[in-house]
Structures are given as C-alpha cells and as structure tokens.
Amino acid sequence: MSKNQTFSCYLIGADTLLIECGEILLEKNHRILGVISSAQRITQWAQSKSLPIISSEKGYADKLKETEFDYLFSITHLAIIDDEVLALPQKCAINFHDGPLPGYAGLNTPAWALNNCEEQYGITWHRMTPGVDEGEILKQSLFEVANDETSLSLNTRCFAAALDSFPELVGELTTDSTSPIAQDLSQRSYFGKFKRPDANGLLLWHKSATKLESLVRALDFGDYPNPLA
C-alpha cells in the first residue's frame, strides 16, 4: 500500500468508541463498506453516514464474502468472531482491547486490574487470530493508574487512549509501516466471562484494607451495569 493510499474496511461493534473511530476513518477518506452491529446507537450513526448496516446477530459472514476488503476493525465487539470471518480481510482483522496484552486478556479487565492493585494499565490494538486476544500487538498505550481510580474512570481513560492511538494506527496501516510485536504468551493472564471476585464481591474482613478498598473501586461502574457482582 503506497503512501497516501486509502483502504477499505468493515467495522463491527456495539459501543460509541466504534462511532468515534469510524469518524476518524471517514475524515481520512478511508472506505467503510459496512457496519456490523445490532446496537441502535451504532445503526443510527451508520444510517446518518449512509453506510450499509449488517446485523451482528447471525449470517454476516456471507455478506462480507461478497466484496474484497482490506481490514476488519472489531471495536467494542465482545463476542468471539468465527475463524472464517477473520480470514476474509485481504490485510488483517484488528481488535481493540481495553487492557495491556498479554497480561490482561479477556473481559472486564479494567476491573480485574484494579482488584489486583495494578499501578499501570493500558489498551492494545492487535491482530485477531483464532486464539482470543493472542494476536500480534500493533499499537499499545500505557498509563499510570490513579490512587482513586474506579472501573468507571479507568474505562473512560481506556476510551481516551483508544482515540489518541487510533489515528496513529490508521496512519501506519495506510503506509504499511506497522511494527507487529508477537505476544509473550508465557506472561498471559486470561479473565473469562464468568470469572467473579472472591465470595462474589462480598468484603472478606481477613483481607487488608488496601485489598478491600481496591475491590470496592473495582466494582464501581457508576450508573452502568456491574457485570461482576
């Protein structure tokens, strides 16, 4: 891909970060061939941009097979994408992960990082492979965790870090200048969908004040649903 050339892509996801990244792609004149989502706010945005909408419920692989395209961007899409879909992009499929890989793979990782009293956190853009969150790292942004951080505030900072790093990633994809880094999977920790805190989030008084306070902040999602307890 030569300098200043644009690329074609599909987007899949369910939250507003997809919209913000989609706007960046459109501003840089890249071609969004369709948006795969069943979330109302995403489909409304796609309609406002005259972008084709494809349901994420089932059967979207057949639609993607109709046209060659360069990239698939998975941005806030929590379901596992079938291997046949990952093989469709001419270049690669790329996922946004709200955690620093390989240490925090899986779901709800900001909360688990707070529960583990981490002092540093971050986000990762990586290639998608059949192994969940195991693909090469294309872009990673790390930052210090504040002493009063909650899951709500940490998720907000991940959103901001994603928006800061996405234009850089897009620029590198445009000029074929990415520097993929293989993950050291010996350092991998995976947090599954059904993993829960000890005692389902009850405060266990034999633990230190630091651990208890960290758990409280980890389970503070503000007005959003708490997926862990």
Side-chain angles (χ1 to χ4, degrees):
M1 192 179 291
S2 62
K3 199 169 186 178
N4 298 323
Q5 186 175 343
T6 60
F7 56 72
S8 59
C9 62
Y10 283 94
L11 308 181
I12 182 169
D15 213 336
T16 52
L17 181 59
L18 179 147
I19 295 174
E20 299 294 336
C21 291
E23 292 284 1
I24 291 170
L25 291 168
L26 294 174
E27 288 171 6
K28 295 181 179 296
N29 297 317
H30 297 293
R31 291 169 290 139
I32 301 176
L33 302 181
V35 178
I36 306 161
S37 184
S38 298
Q40 184 177 14
R41 55 190 161 186
I42 304 299
T43 57
Q44 287 177 340
W45 170 77
Q47 288 175 335
S48 73
K49 300 297 180 179
S50 300
L51 298 173
I53 301 166
I54 307 165
S55 173
S56 60
E57 298 298 331
K58 60 179 181 179
Y60 63 85
D62 293 334
K63 182 63 179 177
L64 269 58
K65 291 176 183 177
E66 295 177 1
T67 308
E68 289 187 352
F69 60 99
D70 295 311
Y71 295 103
L72 171 66
F73 290 100
S74 172
I75 305 173
T76 64
H77 180 70
L78 300 183
I80 294 175
I81 298 177
D82 291 342
D83 292 354
E84 66 166 333
V85 175
L86 298 182
L88 293 177
Q90 298 295 299
K91 298 289 185 177
C92 69
I94 298 173
N95 181 56
F96 164 72
H97 180 67
D98 59 349
L101 296 175
Y104 278 88
L107 296 175
N108 306 308
T109 50
W112 290 115
L114 292 177
N115 186 57
N116 292 339
C117 303
E118 297 287 0
E119 296 181 354
Q120 186 182 67
Y121 198 64
I123 60 94
T124 309
W125 296 93
H126 67 96
R127 293 178 184 266
M128 300 184 74
T129 64
V132 177
D133 294 338
E134 291 184 359
E136 293 173 310
I137 295 171
L138 298 175
K139 185 71 64 177
Q140 190 169 75
S141 178
L142 302 176
F143 50 82
E144 298 303 310
V145 176
N147 291 332
D148 59 350
E149 206 85 71
T150 67
S151 278
L152 176 62
S153 67
L154 192 52
N155 274 289
T156 301
R157 294 184 67 189
C158 287
F159 188 107
L163 290 182
D164 286 343
S165 56
F166 189 65
E168 298 176 9
L169 173 63
V170 171
E172 292 175 3
L173 295 174
T174 304
T175 57
D176 275 338
S177 59
T178 57
S179 300
I181 300 173
Q183 295 188 47
D184 179 359
L185 298 181
S186 70
Q187 302 300 310
R188 171 180 166 90
S189 294
Y190 180 80
F191 298 85
K193 179 178 181 180
F194 299 106
K195 181 176 174 61
R196 294 293 182 267
D198 293 344
N200 284 325
L202 292 176
L203 296 178
L204 301 176
W205 299 111
H206 66 275
K207 293 190 175 184
S208 69
T210 297
K211 287 294 293 182
L212 293 176
E213 193 257 357
S214 296
L215 174 62
V216 171
R217 289 187 288 107
L219 297 180
D220 182 356
F221 291 83
D223 292 332
Y224 292 91
N226 185 331
L228 295 181

